[in-house]
Amino acid sequence: MAGGHRLLLENAQQVVMVCARGERFLARDALHSLAVLEGASLVVGTDGFIKAIGRADAIQTLFSEETFEERIDCSGKCILPGLVDAHTHPVWAGERVHEFAMKLAGATYMEIHQAGGGINFTVEHTRQASEEELFCSFQQRLQCMMRAGTTLVECKSGYGLNLETELKMLRVIERARRQGPIGISATYCGAHSVPKGKTATEAADEIINNHLPKLKELGSRGEIHVDNIDVFCEKGVFDLNSTRRILQSGKDLGLQINFHGDELHPMKAAELGAELGAQAISHLEEVSDEGIAAMATARSSAVLLPTTAYMLRLKQPRARKMLDEGVIVALGSDFNPNAYCLSMPMVMHLACVNMRMSMPEALAAATINAAYALGKSHTHGSLEVGKQGDLIIINSSRWEHLIYQFGGHHELIEYVIAKGKVIYKK
Ligand SMILES: [Zn+2]
């Protein structure tokens, strides 16, 4: 057959497919070794989807008559799926670098809060910022993520808390989603914090009665697209009952449940998420054994955030226990003004060292399992025929270098490709 294709990647030392049998996630023994082809080539069609992967000589024979918009010689290099970042707060105004200095000098969270810092600081600045300002800084952050290998990212609202600013943030996310090239899963996180002067119950009522109906209206008019609903389920923030009401209302609108749980205090958030059919629960530093078992049974994925535990010097989530119990473990950068990290290779490294994950577990958590956490693992998260041609090429003969070389990803990543188009070249 003769015809045009978008991209041919030739003769890579390794093509890390991650999985090869259409798995929607990897758990337990499936994580011991990932699907890797040696001496292989890969073809992406003009529709942006992968058409063939296989031994370099076989691909050459099959496609010898065909034309390609672009061919890249990958000799001595590795091809991996584009990385998936399953948890970020990337739309905000107001630098908080001074708080990092205060924390290093020994200030507690409450001291920073009382000095006018913390989330209220970000909320104030984000409310004042124009949509254009927010969009520009957001675009720059997406570019940094992309150069670190991320091709699909979850992006939350949640620094507005009032309807007007939450919608402003969601419009900014929608604009970036339409513009590309990075894939975005949009999350409404209006329940990120209880606004000043309200109780949690009043804030939940406001969200259920005013925010969610507005999201539905704007969604049906095609103005914004929201994929997930999030709540910060925490002592002194949203209690279990308010969390349940908000998540259930979001689910009734067709949103995927994807929320913050069991971070600073054991809240039985994991048990609640499993009961409600949550697609993902993030943090889980304080999750109970029963919560872990319930998540494994319900196939609610755990989005673990190694940067938060590292920078806030919290105890690490029990990744090993979750993996051993069969929970679907994913990773996110948790990029936000309080944990400034845009790099999934660094997140994977921290997950390996501080949470005792293996390198195959960490890569699966940052690809197929992170895609599962966003409900997108049928199209993203592995290199298989029929999936979107989102991938990275690293200048190394073994893929593990992407995790091993801490902070070395800018030197290693030569190409970032989305839907078969080069979106970054070193
Ligand atoms: Zn978060």
Side-chain angles (χ1 to χ4, degrees):
M1 56 173 186
H5 285 84
R6 187 169 284 171
L7 178 69
L8 171 64
L9 302 179
E10 286 179 287
N11 198 32
Q13 184 74 34
Q14 294 187 319
V15 174
V16 184
M17 301 172 74
V18 175
C19 50
R21 279 176 277 149
E23 295 94 328
R24 291 288 180 258
F25 59 83
L26 295 180
R28 294 188 192 273
D29 295 349
L31 287 164
H32 290 167
S33 67
L34 303 178
V36 178
L37 297 176
E38 306 269 340
S41 298
L42 182 149
V43 174
V44 183
T46 49
D47 59 359
F49 289 84
I50 297 172
K51 300 300 168 192
I53 308 175
R55 286 181 50 93
D57 49 1
I59 296 284
Q60 195 178 21
T61 309
L62 262 170
F63 289 83
S64 62
E65 303 288 302
E66 310 210 10
T67 56
F68 295 91
E69 289 168 25
E70 179 146 19
R71 314 166 74 115
I72 299 174
D73 177 9
C74 297
S75 303
K77 297 173 183 177
C78 294
I79 304 171
L80 294 89
L83 302 175
V84 182
D85 187 342
H87 184 131
T88 77
H89 305 257
V91 182
W92 48 266
E95 284 291 344
R96 278 163 58 184
V97 65
H98 57 285
E99 287 182 18
F100 186 53
M102 288 168 74
K103 272 181 277 186
L104 294 179
T108 65
Y109 177 84
M110 278 320 286
E111 285 164 346
I112 290 171
H113 200 72
Q114 281 154 6
I119 188 170
N120 289 337
F121 178 89
T122 306
V123 168
E124 245 168 64
H125 283 76
T126 305
R127 284 179 179 175
Q128 285 162 16
S130 71
E131 205 165 310
E132 199 57 34
E133 277 173 67
L134 289 175
F135 181 72
C136 287
S137 55
F138 177 40
Q139 278 293 74
Q140 283 166 8
R141 291 165 195 155
L142 288 174
Q143 285 287 318
C144 293
M145 290 178 183
M146 188 264 281
R147 289 197 293 269
T150 297
T151 53
L152 173 63
V153 57
E154 185 263 10
C155 299
K156 301 178 193 294
S157 69
Y159 292 123
L161 308 183
N162 61 28
L163 180 59
E164 182 194 343
T165 311
E166 288 298 314
L167 291 179
K168 179 169 69 176
M169 295 180 76
L170 290 171
R171 282 195 301 270
V172 164
I173 293 169
E174 176 67 16
R175 201 170 141 192
R177 194 177 69 81
R178 289 186 190 181
Q179 193 165 311
I182 298 188
I184 288 177
S185 177
T187 301
Y188 164 74
C189 186
H192 194 193
S193 179
V194 177
K196 278 184 205 162
K198 280 203 165 80
T199 65
T201 306
E202 288 164 352
D205 288 342
E206 164 74 10
I207 286 168
I208 292 164
N209 299 326
N210 293 324
H211 291 209
L212 293 180
K214 190 71 184 170
L215 291 189
K216 186 181 177 186
E217 181 197 324
L218 294 176
S220 61
R221 291 215 304 260
E223 289 184 25
I224 56 170
H225 179 87
V226 179
D227 300 281
N228 317 294
I229 182 151
D230 195 347
V231 174
F232 187 21
C233 178
E234 182 57 65
K235 196 170 161 184
V237 191
F238 287 94
D239 57 30
L240 209 61
N241 190 44
S242 298
T243 301
R244 174 194 291 277
R245 290 173 54 219
I246 296 169
L247 293 178
Q248 186 61 54
S249 301
K251 187 180 179 181
D252 293 344
L253 288 186
L255 301 178
Q256 299 180 118
I257 295 177
N258 184 328
F259 71 112
H260 291 67
D262 296 324
E263 178 184 358
L264 303 171
H265 298 90
M267 297 287 293
K268 296 197 186 297
E271 290 88 329
L272 174 69
E275 183 198 324
L276 296 177
Q279 190 74 23
I281 307 169
S282 288
H283 279 293
L284 301 165
E285 284 83 353
E286 299 285 348
V287 68
S288 69
D289 289 353
E290 294 75 20
I292 290 174
M295 286 180 71
T297 305
R299 293 185 172 175
S300 295
S301 58
V303 179
L304 304 184
L305 307 169
T307 58
T308 325
Y310 165 71
M311 289 185 219
L312 302 184
R313 297 183 176 129
L314 301 178
K315 83 175 194 193
Q316 299 286 333
R318 292 183 290 157
R320 280 268 49 95
K321 168 86 175 164
M322 292 182 220
L323 286 160
D324 293 345
E325 298 281 328
V327 174
I328 301 162
V329 172
L331 289 170
S333 68
D334 196 20
F335 172 79
N336 75 78
N338 197 32
Y340 204 111
C341 175
L342 297 154
S343 159
M344 288 304 289
M346 293 178 87
V347 167
M348 289 190 283
H349 181 103
L350 290 172
C352 290
V353 174
N354 288 340
M355 298 181 349
R356 301 180 187 280
M357 288 170 65
S358 70
M359 287 192 280
E361 285 167 344
L363 185 65
T367 53
I368 190 72
N369 286 359
Y372 175 86
L374 305 180
K376 289 184 182 290
S377 60
H378 55 296
T379 48
H380 292 73
S382 64
L383 298 181
E384 296 177 83
V385 171
K387 281 203 169 178
Q388 197 164 303
D390 291 1
L391 43 93
I392 59 178
I393 302 172
I394 65 167
N395 187 15
S396 169
S397 58
R398 288 192 64 86
W399 71 264
E400 290 92 339
H401 278 270
L402 188 62
I403 298 178
Y404 162 63
Q405 294 189 22
F406 191 51
H409 49 278
H410 288 303
E411 294 306 313
L412 278 169
I413 296 174
E414 289 211 321
Y415 289 89
V416 180
I417 291 167
K419 294 184 185 169
K421 286 189 176 155
V422 174
I423 56 172
Y424 168 71
K425 184 179 180 208
K426 187 171 173 283

